């Protein structure tokens, strides 16, 4: 019997705490016993190539924007060049896409990558990238935020303040489910996701139940959020972190939604209580009514008044009070704050440490946080602002792609240029910009495979659409011809299986088209 098997035996015999070599202390989390990714056989199927997949992947149609269509194709080409297989000497279990950074798989990079990868699911299951993180879950529910692709083991001890986070994997799994309709995957990932959430609840909270993080574990490495003299990258600063609280609120809501889908409501009763608590506490402790913004709370009871893009997790988490919504969103429209030539900078432009060249997270424009903001605006019903920001962002990313031949890790907020610093060929999460952001926020196309339904909010007036839009295993061609304002053109829809398409027009009317029958 190996050490792990012996520890599990001891746990099941009623012991709740076990120490190994005086440095590893675990509390038993029974949900981990349901984690089927632990010990999973390694995938052996060959990886698809971009060349053989082009005619199955979605294709973008956008007359007058051929450069963006080329950027769309380039993103897929780079992504397929970053596909990897497990090796005998590593701990990877499923085929995956590399983060495109340093030979390590990162938790929040991987989660965001799946949010454009879902559109390529008919060719390659990008979602299985997350399998490799679930497979390394510890017996108490912990999952390290960074794992080496070439060898075994975590990169951080789990009680290192920067060892894990941000917790957005439940959101990533749900976004994939909407496109694939794969309810069996939700059943498989649910125990691992719930166990991880509960680990964070046990080990990443202050006595009042609020959450903490660090620069590294929040993903926005070098933002000046802590008190002077505290390490911005590696220390929690003894403060309440707004984005960590909001991400856990979002996780509560996603897991509750999953539980309803698969009949495990009993398992999330504790999350319903936490959901109610976090919804209240972020507005009681982190909201400043004078500036209409959410801030981190320092240990001395003061708000830090650093306006970071991380506050906008509040939109996606659905915790902004109605009376504060307009003021909160107004910061995104303000040229002196987040409405810069390339939207949306990660740090407000009126902060003294804002960098015009981006300075990484001191103002850099990032595809993942932009995507989060856009999805939050969409949830808040701010579709026009979301589309306005999306067009600006995609235009800048496209221009840089045309000039440099590739996509970048982040971008400058004051002009169309790569950020400083920024890695090139970053697909990586920047695939979100020409793929998911164009389809969802500029074109307004959203699908639900479970309902066999596509909602298309038509606002673009040039000829546009998507060929081979995935609907589970089926594909749908969606083409809207060029038209004048106020016109309702005849939209062309072809599908390999039954699908209902709801067209939503600017005048508030809708048309329903049944296709593929």
């Amino acid at each position: 019997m190996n050490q792990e098997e012996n520890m599990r035996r001891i746990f099941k015999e009623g012991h709740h705490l076990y120490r190994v070599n005086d440095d590893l202390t675990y509390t038993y989390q029974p949900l981990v016993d349901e984690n089927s990714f632990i010990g999973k056989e390694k995938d052996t199927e060959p990886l698809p190539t971009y060349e053989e997949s082009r005619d199955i992947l979605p294709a973008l149609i956008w007359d007058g924007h051929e450069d963006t269509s080329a950027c769309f194709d380039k993103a897929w080409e780079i992504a397929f060049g970053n596909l990897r297989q497990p090796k005998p000497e590593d701990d990877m279990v499923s085929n995956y896409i590399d983060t495109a950074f340093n030979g390590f798989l990162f938790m929040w990079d991987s989660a965001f990558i799946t949010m454009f990868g879902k559109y390529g699911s008919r060719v390659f299951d990008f979602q299985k990238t997350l399998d490799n993180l679930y497979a390394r879950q510890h017996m108490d529910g912990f999952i390290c935020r960074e794992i080496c692709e070439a060898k075994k083991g975590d990169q951080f001890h789990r009680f290192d303040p920067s060892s894990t986070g941000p917790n957005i994997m439940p959101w990533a799994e749900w976004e994939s489910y909407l496109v694939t309709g794969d309810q069996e995957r939700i059943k498989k990932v649910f125990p691992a996701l719930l166990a991880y959430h509960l680990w964070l609840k046990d080990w990443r909270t202050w006595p009042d139940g609020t959450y903490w993080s660090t620069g590294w574990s929040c993903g926005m490495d070098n933002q000046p959020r802590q008190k002077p003299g505290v390490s911005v990258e590696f220390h929690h600063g003894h403060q309440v972190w707004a984005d960590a609280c909001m991400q856990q609120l979002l996780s509560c809501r996603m897991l509750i939604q999953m539980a309803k889908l698969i009949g495990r409501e009993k398992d999330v009763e504790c999350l319903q209580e936490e959901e109610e608590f976090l919804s209240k506490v972020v507005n009681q402790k982190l909201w400043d009514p004078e500036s209409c913004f959410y801030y981190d709370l320092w240990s001395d009871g003061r708000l830090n008044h650093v306006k970071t893009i991380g506050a906008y997790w509040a939109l996606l988490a659905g915790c902004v009070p109605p009376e504060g919504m307009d003021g909160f969103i107004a910061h995104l429209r303000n040229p002196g704050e987040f409405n810069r030539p390339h939207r949306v900078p990660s740090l407000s432009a009126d902060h003294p440490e804002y960098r015009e060249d981006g300075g990484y997270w001191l103002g850099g424009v990032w595809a993942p946080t932009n995507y989060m903001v856009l999805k939050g605006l969409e949830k808040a019903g701010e579709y026009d602002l979301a589309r306005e920001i999306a067009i600006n962002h995609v235009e800048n990313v496209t221009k840089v792609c045309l000039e440099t031949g590739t996509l970048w890790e982040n971008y400058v907020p004051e002009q169309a240029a790569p950020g400083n610093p920024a890695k090139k060929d970053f697909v990586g999460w920047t695939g979100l910009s020409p793929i998911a952001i164009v389809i969802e926020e500029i074109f307004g196309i959203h699908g639900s495979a479970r309902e066999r339904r596509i909602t298309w909010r038509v606002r673009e007036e040039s000829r546009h659409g998507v060929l081979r839009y995935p609907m589970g295993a089926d594909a749908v061609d969606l083409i809207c011809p060029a038209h004048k304002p106020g016109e309702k053109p005849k939209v062309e829809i072809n599908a390999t299986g039954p699908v209902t398409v709801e067209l939503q027009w600017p005048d508030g009317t809708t048309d329903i088209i049944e296709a593929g029958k």
Side-chain angles (χ1 to χ4, degrees):
M1 181 180 294
N2 63 32
Q3 185 182 68
E4 181 171 332
E5 289 172 340
N6 188 48
M7 289 172 71
R8 288 183 183 277
R9 178 187 61 78
I10 290 170
F11 287 145
K12 290 178 180 178
E13 288 175 357
H15 298 269
H16 300 290
L17 202 61
Y18 192 68
R19 184 179 297 276
V20 181
N21 298 331
D22 292 326
D23 66 347
L24 294 178
T25 303
Y26 287 87
T27 52
Y28 178 45
Q29 174 48 262
L31 285 161
V32 179
D33 284 337
E34 298 183 57
N35 184 339
S36 61
F37 300 98
I38 298 173
K40 173 185 175 295
E41 274 191 43
K42 291 176 179 285
D43 284 352
T44 57
E45 61 264 30
L47 298 172
T49 66
Y50 175 67
E51 290 72 21
E52 68 191 16
S53 306
R54 292 186 65 170
D55 294 337
I56 307 173
L57 287 168
L60 203 65
I61 295 174
W62 197 5
D63 286 2
H65 297 266
E66 287 74 20
D67 290 341
T68 298
S69 296
C71 188
F72 179 96
D73 294 340
K74 184 66 175 179
W76 284 120
E77 181 183 357
I78 298 173
F80 273 75
N82 286 329
L83 300 187
R84 303 286 185 265
Q85 284 183 304
K87 297 186 177 73
E89 64 273 15
D90 64 32
D91 266 347
M92 312 302 267
V93 298
S94 294
N95 289 345
Y96 62 98
I97 178 170
D98 173 45
T99 301
F101 187 69
N102 61 355
F104 291 78
L105 202 67
F106 287 78
M107 179 183 286
W108 92 313
D109 294 62
S110 298
F112 276 118
I113 289 169
T114 68
M115 294 187 200
F116 76 82
K118 63 193 177 189
Y119 292 110
S121 59
R122 295 176 62 241
V123 177
F124 179 78
D125 190 352
F126 286 85
Q127 205 65 28
K128 292 178 74 174
T129 300
L130 298 179
D131 295 0
N132 298 296
L133 293 159
Y134 305 145
R136 298 201 198 185
Q137 185 166 47
H138 291 227
M139 285 174 289
D140 57 355
F142 169 79
I143 301 175
C144 190
R145 70 173 185 85
E146 182 182 355
I147 57 178
C148 184
E149 297 171 12
K151 61 183 181 181
K152 300 180 179 182
D154 295 335
Q155 294 309 111
F156 297 88
H157 187 283
R158 69 195 197 289
F159 291 132
D160 184 317
S162 298
S163 65
T164 193
N167 181 20
I168 61 168
M169 293 185 293
W171 177 39
E173 292 288 357
W174 191 259
E175 284 291 315
S176 172
Y177 167 69
L178 292 176
V179 170
T180 65
D182 187 356
Q183 188 168 326
E184 289 304 310
R185 180 166 178 89
I186 297 296
K187 290 179 181 178
K188 284 183 66 176
V189 301
F190 177 79
L193 293 173
L194 180 55
Y196 177 58
H197 180 106
L198 295 176
W199 187 92
L200 291 167
K201 190 171 185 290
D202 283 341
W203 300 105
R204 289 292 186 265
T205 52
W206 298 121
D208 67 352
T210 56
Y211 284 83
W212 57 265
S213 188
T214 72
W216 272 23
S217 62
C218 85
M220 300 186 293
D221 306 25
N222 62 330
Q223 289 198 331
R225 298 167 62 175
Q226 292 96 318
K227 281 184 177 181
V230 177
S231 167
V232 296
E233 294 96 348
F234 309 123
H235 199 272
H236 48 60
H238 299 284
Q239 68 187 38
V240 179
W241 290 62
D243 47 350
C245 292
M246 294 160 184
Q247 286 157 359
Q248 283 298 95
L249 174 57
L250 176 63
S251 175
C252 281
R253 290 180 167 164
M254 292 289 98
L255 289 169
I256 290 169
Q257 204 165 350
M258 290 180 185
K260 289 178 181 177
L261 177 69
I262 62 177
R264 296 193 61 164
E265 292 93 338
K266 199 77 177 168
D267 291 306
V268 294
E269 288 179 352
C270 62
L271 298 191
Q272 292 169 345
E273 181 181 339
E274 185 181 31
E275 177 190 19
E276 183 179 351
F277 164 74
L278 289 174
S279 297
K280 290 179 181 178
V281 78
V282 295
N283 289 303
Q284 291 171 348
K285 292 191 173 185
L286 308 182
W287 173 257
D288 174 40
E290 185 175 342
S291 61
C292 290
F293 208 80
Y294 292 98
Y295 302 101
D296 303 319
L297 181 67
W298 282 346
S299 59
D300 60 9
R302 290 183 296 156
L303 296 172
N304 67 3
H305 288 281
V306 177
K307 292 194 291 289
T308 163
I309 199 169
Y312 284 97
W313 284 100
L315 291 175
L316 204 55
C319 59
V320 184
E323 64 273 16
M325 184 68 80
D326 288 345
F328 185 51
I329 290 175
H331 295 280
L332 294 171
R333 294 189 170 100
N334 187 339
E337 296 178 302
F338 292 105
N339 185 4
R340 306 305 297 167
H342 186 174
R343 301 160 81 171
V344 178
S346 48
L347 185 67
S348 177
D350 61 358
H351 192 281
E353 293 192 43
Y354 173 81
R355 290 263 300 270
E356 293 187 353
D357 67 352
Y360 222 50
W361 290 98
L362 298 177
V365 179
W366 298 74
T369 44
N370 266 12
Y371 186 71
M372 172 271 291
V373 169
L374 296 173
K375 300 306 284 185
L377 288 171
E378 179 188 303
K379 182 171 182 176
E382 293 283 345
Y383 301 106
D384 293 339
L385 177 58
R387 187 167 186 271
E388 177 186 318
I389 292 172
I391 289 172
N392 169 276
H393 173 62
V394 170
E395 284 178 348
N396 279 282
V397 169
T398 297
K399 185 175 181 181
V400 175
C401 186
L402 183 65
E403 292 174 353
T404 66
T406 193
L407 294 101
W408 295 79
E409 181 187 6
N410 63 86
Y411 295 85
V412 167
E414 300 300 322
Q415 60 180 311
N420 180 29
K423 281 188 171 287
K424 64 186 300 186
D425 301 326
F426 204 80
V427 187
W429 55 29
T430 307
L432 285 163
S433 302
I435 299 174
I437 290 177
V438 172
I439 292 173
E440 297 168 21
E441 307 305 328
I442 298 180
F443 289 1
I445 298 171
H446 299 85
S448 171
R450 180 180 61 167
E451 299 173 350
R452 302 293 300 184
R453 189 178 188 88
I454 292 172
T455 303
W456 190 352
R457 192 173 184 274
V458 183
R459 296 297 182 270
E460 178 61 34
E461 293 168 359
S462 60
R463 180 174 176 268
H464 69 286
V466 181
L467 300 180
R468 300 181 292 277
Y469 182 95
M471 179 59 54
D474 291 309
V476 186
D477 292 341
L478 303 155
I479 304 173
C480 180
H483 57 283
K484 296 177 181 177
E487 288 184 344
K488 294 182 181 179
K490 185 178 181 180
V491 174
E492 179 184 343
I493 300 172
N494 296 294
T496 61
V499 63
T500 299
V501 180
E502 178 183 326
L503 301 171
Q504 299 179 349
W505 302 104
D507 64 2
T509 60
T510 61
D511 290 328
I512 302 294
I513 298 176
E514 304 289 346
K517 294 184 178 179

